[in-house]
Amino acid sequence: EAQVTQNPRYLITVTGKKLTVTCSQNMNHEYMSWYRQDPGLGLRQIYYSMNVEVTDKGDVPEGYKVSRKEKRNFPLILESPSPNQTSLYFCASTPAGAPTGYTFGSGTRLTVV
Amino acid sequence: GESVGLHLPTLSVQEGDNSIINCAYSNSASDYFIWYKQESGKGPQFIIDIRSNMDKRQGQRVTVLLNKTVKHLSLQIAATQPGDSAVYFCADRAGGSYIPTFGRGTSLIVHP
């Protein structure tokens, strides 16, 4: 089944403890992206990647890092999480070429205490 | 700045009614538009898309209308069912860009 897989689905952590949220897609998509979703603010892009080793900042990149060493994986790294990073996170992918919609993962609900 | 927005944050309808969710966009360079459905606890799911060279596209029980003159997009859901209850997002992309701009969402509530 074509999908975007995120792990974990739920995570509670403490301020300052480094964490990684993984994202993997099995559709050979070139383009991958991370979003956070907060009440009243909708989906905001954190980082995106056009292809392997090509990443760029989205609208809200502060406090986050990403890497794209392989085409299928696009992990989101929080080096020193803070409570304002408590949010619902989505990974998404889409192929290059003719425009088509994103395929989203199921989301990761992160709570930083 | 450029933005995609929704006119109504919440829409309540009775089961069986037709629903219309509206969206305004401001980027005149946008040439591709998408509607997503997000059910509680799940990621957004693609519903239907439309390119700027069309003004109407139909799917199963859904129709998207595009009015480029007034930069307006709508999603019509026929014979709305309780399973249609969700948040609906519109998104647009400018030509050559892979970066969509998402609206904030409209919550559709379907009463049995």
Side-chain angles (χ1 to χ4, degrees):
Chain A
E1 180 188 355
Q3 60 186 357
V4 176
T5 303
Q6 291 179 232
N7 280 296
R9 287 295 309 276
Y10 302 92
L11 179 60
I12 300 174
T13 190
V14 296
T15 299
K17 185 177 181 181
K18 181 180 178 180
L19 66 91
T20 299
V21 183
T22 64
C23 173
S24 181
Q25 50 93 5
N26 62 0
M27 297 165 282
N28 201 37
H29 286 172
E30 287 78 13
Y31 188 88
M32 298 184 74
S33 183
W34 276 103
Y35 290 86
R36 61 178 288 174
Q37 186 176 40
D38 302 289
L41 297 177
L43 286 161
R44 294 183 292 168
Q45 191 177 48
I46 303 170
Y47 268 94
Y48 64 95
S49 169
M50 298 292 288
N51 214 323
V52 175
E53 301 292 0
V54 181
T55 64
D56 209 343
K57 296 177 181 179
D59 299 320
V60 289
E62 294 76 21
Y64 304 95
K65 285 174 57 178
V66 292
S67 69
R68 188 90 182 274
K69 294 184 171 62
E70 304 164 284
K71 196 172 187 179
R72 63 183 293 124
N73 295 324
F74 190 45
L76 179 70
I77 303 154
L78 285 72
E79 294 272 5
S80 183
S82 62
N84 65 10
Q85 293 178 297
T86 293
S87 187
L88 179 58
Y89 291 86
F90 289 102
C91 181
S93 71
T94 192
T100 185
Y102 273 107
T103 301
F104 281 84
S106 298
T108 295
R109 185 165 292 281
L110 172 65
T111 302
V112 184
V113 299
Chain B
E2 304 288 358
S3 65
V4 174
L6 294 171
H7 296 307
L8 296 174
T10 303
L11 177 64
S12 292
V13 300
Q14 291 295 129
E15 181 177 1
D17 287 352
N18 296 333
S19 303
I20 300 176
I21 301 171
N22 295 305
C23 179
Y25 66 96
S26 57
N27 186 352
S28 56
S30 295
D31 63 357
Y32 179 65
F33 305 86
I34 315 158
W35 281 100
Y36 291 93
K37 173 185 181 183
Q38 187 177 20
E39 297 174 274
S40 181
K42 297 183 179 180
Q45 288 181 288
F46 174 93
I47 302 173
I48 192 168
D49 61 359
I50 189 168
R51 300 179 202 277
S52 59
N53 61 353
M54 304 170 70
D55 54 21
K56 180 179 180 179
R57 190 166 189 218
Q58 288 184 288
Q60 188 176 17
R61 285 201 304 119
V62 295
T63 301
V64 55
L65 299 177
L66 174 62
N67 186 331
K68 295 181 287 296
T69 302
V70 296
K71 296 191 182 70
H72 184 267
L73 191 68
S74 69
L75 177 70
Q76 300 178 1
I77 304 173
T80 315
Q81 302 168 359
D84 295 326
S85 293
V87 174
Y88 290 81
F89 295 93
C90 63
D92 74 322
R93 280 180 9 188
S97 171
Y98 290 98
I99 304 174
T101 300
F102 287 94
R104 294 188 178 179
T106 290
S107 176
L108 176 65
I109 301 170
V110 182
H111 300 282

